Amino acid sequence: MNTISIEIPSLVENIRIVESFIDNAKEKYQLDDDLYGNIMIAVIESVNNAIIHGNQLEKNKFVHLSMILEETSVTFMIKDEGKGFVINDLPDPTAPENLAKPGGRGIFLMKHLADEVAFNDNGQEVKLTFYLN
């Protein structure tokens, strides 16, 4: 098992650090292109949610990102320092009244791109697991 971790202040411009983190993992562990694309979108959505909704853009709060590579899967853990949320209280982004809204699709995307998605610590931590071929 290989684990790498970073933590970033809650600034939207730090998304580029997360992109580099994922790019480096792709190169180091030779992740396939389709898997890489799914990881990039799902992890960026999760980190973006952690920065904006979890930590409320408070730059003195951090987002913690870890990647765990195992024989059959790669898992990303994204944790913020916010108050959390109730997953069942989120509106359905596919409902007709929400289709024209500019946001609200991050968790929907994560659930469709990752093989497993779990929310821990009242939603402060997201675990995204992707199976390796």
Side-chain angles (χ1 to χ4, degrees), residues 6-10 14-15 17-18 47 51 61-64:
I6 60 169
E7 67 176 29
I8 59 168
S10 293
N14 285 339
I15 290 294
I17 295 169
V18 176
V47 171
I51 290 170
K61 290 184 178 180
F62 290 82
V63 175
H64 309 269

Side-chain angles (χ1 to χ4, degrees), residues 15-128:
I15 290 294
R16 71 180 186 279
I17 295 169
V18 176
E19 291 169 345
S20 293
F21 178 88
I22 296 167
D23 284 341
N24 291 338
K26 178 193 188 300
E27 294 302 316
K28 183 173 182 174
Y29 301 113
Q30 289 104 34
L31 301 175
D32 113 340
D33 288 342
D34 289 337
L35 180 64
Y36 163 77
N38 288 351
I39 289 170
M40 183 65 81
I41 294 167
V43 173
I44 293 298
E45 285 293 339
S46 182
V47 171
N48 199 46
N49 282 351
I51 290 170
I52 295 170
H53 302 294
N55 289 343
Q56 303 286 305
L57 295 167
E58 293 180 35
K59 61 185 174 190
N60 62 324
K61 290 184 178 180
F62 290 82
V63 175
H64 309 269
L65 171 63
S66 296
M67 184 194 102
I68 303 122
L69 181 69
E70 297 179 284
E71 193 172 316
T72 60
S73 67
V74 59
T75 299
F76 290 84
M77 306 290 287
I78 301 96
K79 185 167 178 67
D80 64 55
E81 298 175 358
K83 296 178 182 173
F85 68 99
V86 178
I87 186 72
N88 295 329
D89 287 351
L90 297 176
D92 177 0
T94 64
E97 66 272 14
N98 295 326
L99 291 177
K101 292 182 179 176
R105 291 170 186 79
I107 291 174
F108 177 82
L109 284 170
M110 286 179 240
K111 286 181 175 180
H112 284 80
L113 295 170
D115 294 299
E116 294 179 26
V117 179
F119 296 92
N120 305 315
D121 298 331
N122 296 317
Q124 288 177 278
E125 181 181 74
V126 180
K127 179 180 177 183
L128 302 170

